[in-house]
Amino acid sequence: MPLQPTESGTGRIDLVLLDVGGPVYDDSAYRDALLRAARELAAEDGREIDEAEFQQVYDERRQAQGGSLRTAVAERFLTAQDRQRLSERAEQYWEYPVSALHDDVLPTLQKLAGRYKIAIVANQRAVVVDALSRDGVSDFVDIWAISEVVGAEKPDPRIFQHALREAGVGPENAVHVGNRLDTDVRGAQRVGLRTVWVVRGEAPPNPTPEQLAEPDIAVFSMAELPEALEKLQAAG
């Protein structure tokens, strides 16, 4: 799909805010952790969860780009009151193996290095930094805004504002790169950031024209990001 920047946002790009799940790591790591946790909790009541049915719920939430996946899974397979237990159990299993790192991430970060400051802005546990360090991603990171550390999760403006403040960059000179419309694109836009939507992972299985029009630019791999940023900067 050709890159079609909108006219929203002005100014040069000094800072690139980058999501972790989806753009950097394969989101299946979280999906698998959630399925394992749901199955364990269901087994405590003598019930089983069909993986195909679980995948249907997962894909419905991805397509909708709104509403909590954990809530949807709890309501379908457990009870609404089990959401917190489900969330806590899933976090025990939520880790990114080396194999979860997308092949296009490090080559892309090498191209961006020296041209932009890079901030990680992610709804993650603090331990994700260990995986990013292990896999060489942290070598390119200047600013960290991890939800467990900051105390705010996207789309809360505070997590974006934390990264901007730490970088000393205004929203008009920053771009957020993420794979969800609800937390990443809409959340960043409310703070005044331009946005690049990476359509993979928890992005919709079948993005609609309306969804593709929400970000400033939609890309389908991180390899497209350097060109997308250049186009945004030129449009600014």
Side-chain angles (χ1 to χ4, degrees), residues 132-190:
L132 293 167
S133 298
R134 176 199 67 203
D135 297 330
V137 176
S138 65
D139 295 343
F140 300 96
V141 178
D142 303 292
I143 308 296
W144 295 94
I146 306 295
S147 60
E148 187 176 56
V149 177
V150 175
E153 290 189 348
K154 297 176 296 184
D156 190 320
R158 290 176 296 169
I159 191 168
F160 298 104
Q161 291 164 345
H162 174 86
L164 293 169
R165 188 166 54 249
E166 290 293 306
V169 173
E172 69 278 6
N173 298 122
V175 173
H176 180 62
V177 180
N179 72 324
R180 291 190 61 94
L181 291 176
D182 52 352
T183 55
D184 289 305
V185 172
R186 296 167 195 156
Q189 288 174 338
R190 282 196 287 271

Side-chain angles (χ1 to χ4, degrees), residues 211-230:
Q211 289 174 328
L212 289 167
E214 285 198 49
D216 290 281
I217 289 181
V219 300
F220 293 82
S221 75
M222 284 288 284
E224 299 172 67
L225 181 58
E227 181 185 357
L229 294 173
E230 289 175 6

Side-chain angles (χ1 to χ4, degrees), residues 97-109:
V98 174
S99 60
L101 181 69
H102 287 297
D103 292 341
D104 54 10
V105 172
L106 294 180
T108 295
L109 290 175

